[in-house]
Amino acid sequence: MNKKALLITTVSGFVPQFEMENVKLLQELGYEVHYASNFKNPHYGTDNQRLKKTGIQNHQIDFVRSPYHFWKNLKAYHQLVRLLQKDFYELIHCHTPMGAVLARLAVRRINGRKKGIYVIYTAHGFHFYQGAPLKNWILYYPVERWLAKDADLLITMNEEDTYRAKKMCRYLTTKVKWVHGVGIDLSYWTGKNITSQEKQHIRTKIRKELGISGEATIYLSVGELSKRKNHRVVISAFTKLKQKQLLSEQSYYLIAGKGTKFSSLKRQIYRAGLQKQIILLGYRQDIRELLFAADVFLFPSLQEGMPVALLEAAAAGLDLLAEDIRGNQEILQHTDGILISGKNKSAWIKGLQIEQQRREQKDLIKIPLEQSSIENGLKLYDKAVIKRQMKRVYETVVLKSEKGNKK
């Protein structure tokens, strides 16, 4: 009989977007992989097609992302308890805040860890962090501290979260491991696997499709259109620069992503009269091509653990402007990027002006960093490195499970 592993996330797009390497690892180690999520709410895509032919067995749980929907979360909790009572999983690996909270509570309810279930929680970015709103500390910190004992292993993705996790777990048996994100394919995102001519062809093709000239400067953001991703602050900064006549007609801002803030961002753009220069692209699957076509990557997100979008842009060699928050700070240590301190329009106006001056001084449209320099700086985040770390984690679980069976 195959060993069974259960992955748990609040939204179903999470695994095909970020966790397929872990799925393959588990399958290689002999696990039958199951996935509990809300498949009515995919995110990171428009449907669940990417889960087909993966060998994953799916289980619908009516998770909601907000902790304030008590009755909906209670329903999801009971669904999860029933799933765990119905079948035995040697390994449960949970992600996303609400998915992880309900997963650990459900395991506690059935005394799962005493029965031999090994629980891993990957924190992709705690909601409590330096500079976080007070309500985040009041709501999320006590819950995470209370539930810390309900995991065998807590995986963190940046230095700040690792420090806090170790403090929470210092008197517990729960172990903490720092893994540098979910990993990206550096060769793919740097364009190492294609020629410079092919890369230039992609750049020209995308610009032609968007009706943007080769001489124009393209600023690009990639991310969900949500309050947390904070795209509105960059739109406000562009608006102010236009009013001061400091924004070139040959400057364009592209935003790739979908989300609940689409309509409000569109209204903001139209009120500013910038609909020709700020373009909402919607959900895109050709992110690498967009990065090759762009010159500057803007990442105004207010909260991140280890942002994949920023890593991909760094690997592609773009100039980077990002909020001065954990995760971003670690990535920009390896690049010539600018951290924006202040989380407001004025800070982004200043940052964009500095970037414009730098580009004028260099007298360039785009000169990427040396490929070898990029790869050396970002090698900690390469998916091959992350895969080796996660393989060691899962192999430890297998060994513990085998020892338990012998007893």
Side-chain angles (χ1 to χ4, degrees):
M1 184 180 293
N2 284 343
K3 304 184 295 290
K4 294 180 181 180
L6 178 65
L7 305 181
I8 300 175
T9 73
T10 308
V11 294
S12 63
F14 195 91
V15 160
Q17 184 75 7
F18 301 116
E19 292 295 315
M20 286 312 298
E21 288 297 324
N22 285 344
V23 169
K24 293 172 186 175
L25 275 174
L26 288 168
Q27 290 171 336
E28 289 168 5
L29 289 169
Y31 283 94
E32 180 181 284
V33 178
H34 292 235
Y35 183 23
S37 188
N38 189 344
F39 295 94
K40 302 169 188 174
N41 189 19
H43 277 253
Y44 308 106
T46 57
D47 53 40
N48 297 297
Q49 293 298 314
R50 287 182 294 173
L51 286 168
K52 290 186 176 181
K53 298 181 180 179
T54 60
I56 298 172
Q57 295 192 32
N58 300 325
H59 303 275
Q60 171 63 29
I61 304 292
D62 296 327
F63 289 118
V64 291
R65 297 175 83 176
S66 172
Y68 300 109
H69 294 293
F70 176 79
W71 294 111
K72 290 181 179 179
N73 283 316
L74 184 61
K75 177 185 176 183
Y77 164 73
H78 285 303
Q79 290 174 329
L80 205 48
V81 169
R82 287 195 293 272
L83 176 62
L84 298 185
Q85 289 172 334
K86 179 182 175 183
D87 214 343
F88 181 76
Y89 299 96
E90 283 85 356
L91 169 63
I92 292 178
H93 192 166
C94 48
H95 308 258
T96 65
M98 284 311 302
V101 165
L102 297 182
R104 286 174 288 173
L105 287 174
V107 172
R108 180 190 291 185
R109 170 71 179 274
I110 67 165
N111 279 328
R113 292 178 68 206
K114 288 185 178 180
K115 296 175 183 177
I117 297 175
Y118 192 95
V119 179
I120 301 174
Y121 169 35
T122 295
H124 293 264
F126 288 133
H127 282 279
F128 47 92
Y129 51 91
Q130 185 176 350
L134 179 61
K135 66 178 183 179
N136 286 33
W137 283 93
I138 293 172
L139 176 62
Y140 293 102
Y141 179 74
V143 173
E144 289 293 356
R145 184 162 187 173
W146 173 52
L147 291 174
K149 63 181 179 295
D150 291 292
D152 294 278
L153 177 64
L154 175 53
I155 296 176
T156 53
M157 298 205 160
N158 58 64
E159 186 174 8
E160 183 181 332
D161 283 357
T162 303
Y163 168 76
R164 299 200 190 285
K166 286 182 176 179
K167 284 192 71 175
M168 287 193 297
C169 299
R170 59 187 164 181
Y171 301 121
L172 305 175
T173 58
T174 305
K175 294 182 179 179
V176 176
K177 183 174 180 60
W178 181 5
V179 175
H180 292 81
V182 296
I184 65 168
D185 185 342
L186 278 179
S187 292
Y188 176 79
W189 291 102
T190 57
K192 186 178 180 179
N193 55 354
I194 61 175
T195 66
S196 56
Q197 290 81 7
E198 288 172 318
K199 195 172 180 180
Q200 182 60 42
H201 173 73
I202 291 170
R203 179 178 173 86
T204 303
K205 178 176 174 286
I206 292 293
R207 284 176 171 247
K208 186 176 180 181
E209 288 174 359
L210 295 170
I212 298 174
S213 73
E215 293 74 32
T217 300
I218 293 182
Y219 298 84
L220 173 67
S221 289
V222 176
E224 181 184 7
L225 305 185
S226 65
K227 182 178 179 181
R228 180 169 71 91
K229 293 299 183 179
N230 200 31
H231 300 297
R232 63 166 191 84
V233 76
V234 178
I235 297 172
S236 295
F238 268 81
T239 302
K240 194 67 176 179
L241 289 171
K242 182 191 176 186
Q243 290 171 352
K244 291 183 175 182
Q245 297 184 333
L246 295 173
L247 183 67
S248 166
E249 293 294 328
Q250 286 295 297
S251 292
Y252 294 83
Y253 180 34
L254 312 179
I255 306 174
K258 66 169 191 170
T260 57
K261 293 297 181 180
F262 177 85
S263 295
S264 62
L265 292 176
K266 189 173 182 180
R267 285 194 298 271
Q268 184 184 2
I269 293 165
Y270 271 77
R271 282 198 300 266
L274 284 168
Q275 57 268 33
K276 291 184 179 179
Q277 288 180 268
I278 302 180
I279 305 168
L280 300 177
L281 298 174
Y283 179 74
R284 301 281 294 226
Q285 293 183 314
D286 59 343
I287 299 302
R288 186 178 75 157
E289 286 73 14
L290 288 173
L291 290 170
F292 289 168
D295 304 290
V296 185
F297 191 79
L298 308 180
F299 199 65
S301 182
L302 298 171
Q303 178 188 335
E304 295 293 334
M306 183 50 62
V308 171
L310 188 59
L311 278 171
E312 291 168 351
L318 272 67
D319 289 352
L320 307 176
L321 276 72
E323 280 286 355
D324 189 6
I325 57 174
R326 58 173 182 171
N328 296 359
Q329 295 163 347
E330 292 176 28
I331 295 169
L332 264 66
Q333 287 177 1
H334 309 293
T335 72
D336 189 26
I338 299 172
L339 286 169
I340 307 294
S341 300
K343 302 181 176 65
N344 56 46
K345 177 177 69 176
S346 297
W348 274 90
I349 290 171
K350 183 178 179 180
L352 287 166
Q353 288 180 309
I354 292 171
E355 173 62 21
Q356 286 178 351
Q357 290 167 4
R358 286 173 55 175
R359 296 184 66 77
E360 288 169 3
Q361 288 168 2
K362 293 176 183 177
D363 190 28
L364 52 79
I365 294 174
K366 181 181 180 186
I367 298 178
L369 296 172
E370 287 293 328
Q371 195 174 78
S372 59
S373 174
I374 295 171
E375 291 192 63
N376 287 335
L378 300 177
K379 61 185 178 182
L380 278 174
Y381 310 101
D382 187 66
K383 72 175 186 178
V385 175
I386 304 299
K387 184 176 181 178
R388 286 195 293 272
Q389 291 177 309
M390 289 307 303
K391 186 177 181 181
R392 286 194 289 270
V393 167
Y394 289 146
E395 285 174 341
T396 299
V397 180
V398 171
L399 288 172
K400 285 182 178 291
S401 178
E402 289 175 349
K403 287 181 182 178
N405 290 336
K406 286 178 182 179
K407 290 179 182 179

